[in-house]
Structure formats: C-alpha cells, structure tokens
C-alpha cells in the first residue's frame, strides 16, 4: 500500500486514558470540592453531569481553560496538568511502532486534545512526528467531519489519496477521515469488530500496510 503520510490519534490509540482521566476525574473534582466545601464524590458527580451536558462533539469539552472558567477555579490549569505527568502511559507497542514507521512514512499526530494537554502528554514521542495537530487549538473544531480532515490535508500540502489515518474513535478517526478520501484503520482494542480496515492493536498495522 503505497502511501506517503501516516497519521495517528493520541488518546486511546497511542496513549492510554490514564493521564486524561486523572486530570478530568480526579484533579478537577478535587479542586471543585475544595472551593465549594463539598465532598469529592459529590463534586465528581456534579462535574460528570456538566461534562455530559457539553458532550465530546463540542470544542469546549476538551478545553481545560473553559472548565476552569466555568467552575471559577482560577488559572492553575498548567499546574494541575503537570501534577499528573506520572499518569502518562503509552500502550506497550506504541514506541516500537512509531520508530518503525517513522523510517518509511511521514508521521502526523492528530488529536482532539488541546495543546495544554497534548504538549505535555506527547513529550516522549514528539521526535517521531513531522507535524502535531490539535484540532481544538489549531482549527477551533473537533475532528468529527470529513471537511476537517480535508483542511488538515490541505494545510500539510498532501492529497488525501496519499494519507492513512489510524485511531480508536469510530466517527472521529474512521468515518470522518474516510469521508475525506483518506485510507483509515479503526483501532478496536476491545475486539468487537473485524474486517480489512479493523485492527485490534497497533502491532497489526504493519501487516496491513505491506
């Protein structure tokens, strides 16, 4: 399969959810509980409802500055994110796969994570990528449409026909880029689906691209 550019999603694809979950479901509820004089569990329950009201198709869902402002938590989001650096965790095959494909493809990272998150979470893997894109910070939108991926290709100067994308979200990483003419692979770590363009770990990618 002769393609020039290989792009990856970040959370759920290269990195586990450990880091993001710690910030959203431990750190922010802890701050909210302390500010409002309530228990952690009560604060977490309230915040989860607020997260769900916004939903992951909205840009605000990924923007920690939005949530700090909404909950009146001040401006210490950087310190909070840095507190949970020890929670950053990559899937076992991630580094080897990136090392392997960086020798044969131009690698691009495309994530919904805002730059405040992404820059810290990707510190150990940035060397593999020629371009790291935050859809929220760089384009002001969530990567849910074919039009978004078409704009990414245009910004990089690459035709969609020469592009491959891999990710774990059916709409954001499979249907949307496919609609833009990009070859896509859906990473189904739960092994609920099978097919020519379904993989269950990044280790399966090499055989798909030979």
């Amino acid at each position: 399969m002769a393609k020039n550019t290989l792009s990856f999603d970040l959370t759920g694809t290269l990195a586990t959810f450990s880091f993001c979950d710690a910030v959203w479901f431990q750190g922010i509820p802890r701050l909210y509980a302390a500010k409002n004089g309530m228990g952690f569990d009560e604060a977490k329950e309230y915040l989860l409802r607020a997260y769900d009201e916004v939903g992951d198709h909205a840009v605000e869902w990924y923007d920690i500055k939005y949530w700090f402002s909404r909950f009146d938590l001040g401006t210490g989001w950087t310190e909070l994110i840095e507190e949970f650096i020890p929670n950053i965790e990559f899937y076992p095959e991630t580094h080897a796969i990136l090392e392997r494909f960086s020798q044969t493809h131009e690698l691009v990272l495309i994530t919904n994570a805002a730059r405040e998150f992404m820059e810290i979470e990707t510190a150990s893997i940035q060397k593999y990528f020629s371009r790291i894109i935050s859809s929220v910070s760089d384009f002001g939108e969530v990567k849910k449409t074919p039009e978004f991926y078409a704009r990414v290709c245009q910004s990089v100067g690459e035709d969609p026909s020469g592009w491959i994308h891999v990710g774990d979200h059916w709409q954001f990483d499979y249907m949307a880029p496919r609609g833009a003419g990009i070859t896509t692979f859906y990473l189904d770590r739960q092994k609920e689906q099978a097919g020519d363009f379904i993989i269950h770990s990044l280790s399966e990618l090499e055989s798909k691209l030979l």
Side-chain angles (χ1 to χ4, degrees):
M1 183 180 293
K3 301 283 183 174
N4 299 321
T5 303
L6 176 59
S7 61
F8 292 92
D9 169 54
L10 177 58
T11 309
T13 300
L14 301 177
T16 73
F17 289 89
S18 177
F19 174 59
C20 291
D21 284 356
V23 175
W24 294 113
F25 305 135
Q26 296 179 38
I28 295 180
R30 185 192 69 211
L31 294 178
Y32 189 85
K35 181 181 185 301
N36 292 281
M38 63 174 63
F40 174 82
D41 290 341
E42 182 184 1
K44 182 177 179 180
E45 182 178 346
Y46 173 79
L47 265 61
L48 288 177
R49 289 198 301 270
Y51 295 158
D52 287 343
E53 287 173 5
V54 172
D56 68 356
H57 281 244
V59 170
E60 291 81 3
W61 197 85
Y62 304 90
D63 186 355
I64 194 168
K65 289 179 288 187
Y66 164 81
W67 293 108
F68 264 65
S69 175
R70 174 167 170 171
F71 299 138
D72 195 21
L73 297 177
T75 59
W77 54 81
T78 300
E79 291 81 1
L80 183 68
I81 293 171
E82 291 176 348
E83 175 186 339
F84 291 102
I85 286 175
N87 291 76
I88 295 174
E89 177 184 53
F90 292 93
Y91 291 102
E93 72 272 23
T94 293
H95 283 84
I97 288 297
L98 294 179
E99 176 67 32
R100 162 69 180 84
F101 281 107
S102 67
Q103 306 302 313
T104 57
H105 294 72
E106 179 178 358
L107 299 190
V108 176
L109 183 68
I110 307 176
T111 176
N112 281 331
R115 284 205 169 270
E116 290 82 2
F117 267 88
M118 179 264 290
E119 293 288 357
I120 291 175
E121 189 169 14
T122 62
S124 69
I125 60 172
Q126 288 180 13
K127 62 184 178 181
Y128 297 115
F129 296 96
S130 63
R131 183 99 179 254
I132 296 179
I133 296 169
S134 163
S135 65
V136 170
S137 299
D138 298 338
F139 286 83
E141 60 182 301
V142 177
K143 55 176 186 170
K144 63 184 178 181
T145 66
E147 290 75 20
F148 164 75
Y149 281 94
R151 284 193 288 274
V152 168
C153 290
Q154 185 178 29
S155 73
V156 176
E158 179 68 76
D159 189 271
S161 64
W163 197 293
I164 301 166
H165 182 71
V166 182
D168 71 309
H169 193 291
W170 182 258
Q171 176 61 36
F172 297 164
D173 297 308
Y174 187 73
M175 295 302 295
R178 181 164 287 249
I182 294 171
T183 299
T184 58
F185 288 92
Y186 174 57
L187 176 57
D188 173 25
R189 292 188 181 276
Q190 285 68 49
K191 300 182 179 180
E192 296 174 346
Q193 300 190 51
D196 290 341
F197 293 93
I198 309 293
I199 57 176
H200 301 126
S201 79
L202 292 175
S203 299
E204 297 177 19
L205 189 59
E206 189 165 11
S207 64
K208 294 284 189 179
L209 299 185
L210 290 178

